[in-house]
């Protein structure tokens, strides 16, 4: 593996950490676009940037005394899944939130409102037209994967959802789920 650090820089490009060293437990904050994490760069202390390939850059540091890792995943579920996996496996993220700009689908939502995801469905996994030959009457649900007994709805972490519900929204913004 290649390991380097630019002279005078705090940017590191390195192989996966050793499995013998336990990573620091961190809170992960992920967004799609760099502009969505820009505010974190102003308030996170002890920042160290970690490049992963040509796409990802993660920053570790402290936010109000808590160890954090944050980064921009790029747009799309594959990028988000890859970035989340990297935050967990390489940087010890034990809790992860995704923050960013998105479109709300409920009537009455406006630009600037905050939408909490109490649960999510993998809408890209749409096998509803698939029929089991041995049980053609069984109807797969949106997000359900054939032959795999995984949940098709993934609930948010109740502890994180409680914290988010208790935070006051900015002036003029509504909070919904």
């Amino acid at each position: 593996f290649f390991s380097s650090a630019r002279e005078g820089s705090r940017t590191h490009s390195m192989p996966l950490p050793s499995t013998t060293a336990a990573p620091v437990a961190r809170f992960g904050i992920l967004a799609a676009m760099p502009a969505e994490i820009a505010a974190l760069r102003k308030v996170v202390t002890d920042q160290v940037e970690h490049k992963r390939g040509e796409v990802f850059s993660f920053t570790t540091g402290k936010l109000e005394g808590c160890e954090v890792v944050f980064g921009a995943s790029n747009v799309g579920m594959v990028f988000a899944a890859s970035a989340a996996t990297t935050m967990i496996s390489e940087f010890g993220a034990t809790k992860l939130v995704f923050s960013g700009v998105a479109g709300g689908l409920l009537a009455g939502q406006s630009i600037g409102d905050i939408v909490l995801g109490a649960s999510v469905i993998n809408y890209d996994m749409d096998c509803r037209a698939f029929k089991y030959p041995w049980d053609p009457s069984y109807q797969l649900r949106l997000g359900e994967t054939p032959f795999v007994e995984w949940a098709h709805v993934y609930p948010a972490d109740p502890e994180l959802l409680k914290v988010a519900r208790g935070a006051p929204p900015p002036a003029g913004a509504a909070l919904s789920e």
Side-chain angles (χ1 to χ4, degrees), residues 25-63:
R26 292 186 171 98
F27 190 91
I29 306 167
L30 191 58
M33 299 179 287
E36 295 169 331
I37 59 164
L40 288 169
R41 295 205 182 282
K42 297 176 185 173
V43 295
V44 172
T45 62
D46 303 327
Q47 291 185 31
V48 178
E49 186 178 356
H50 308 267
K51 299 290 275 177
R52 292 297 183 264
E54 298 296 317
V55 177
F56 297 129
S57 177
F58 300 96
T59 303
T60 54
K62 292 187 179 184
L63 179 61

Side-chain angles (χ1 to χ4, degrees), residues 96-120:
L96 191 112
V97 295
F98 192 93
S99 175
V101 177
L105 300 175
L106 298 177
Q109 289 178 335
S110 300
I111 293 172
D113 286 352
I114 297 172
V115 179
L116 301 178
S119 63
V120 295

Side-chain angles (χ1 to χ4, degrees), residues 83-141:
T85 300
T86 302
M87 283 185 157
I88 293 164
S89 64
E90 291 191 42
F91 298 101
T94 56
K95 302 276 186 182
L96 191 112
V97 295
F98 192 93
S99 175
V101 177
L105 300 175
L106 298 177
Q109 289 178 335
S110 300
I111 293 172
D113 286 352
I114 297 172
V115 179
L116 301 178
S119 63
V120 295
I121 294 176
N122 180 357
Y123 63 87
D124 279 353
M125 178 53 71
D126 189 355
C127 294
R128 292 179 290 183
F130 180 85
K131 299 292 181 194
Y132 291 117
W134 58 88
D135 188 2
S137 65
Y138 181 77
Q139 179 65 52
L140 290 163
R141 298 165 289 182

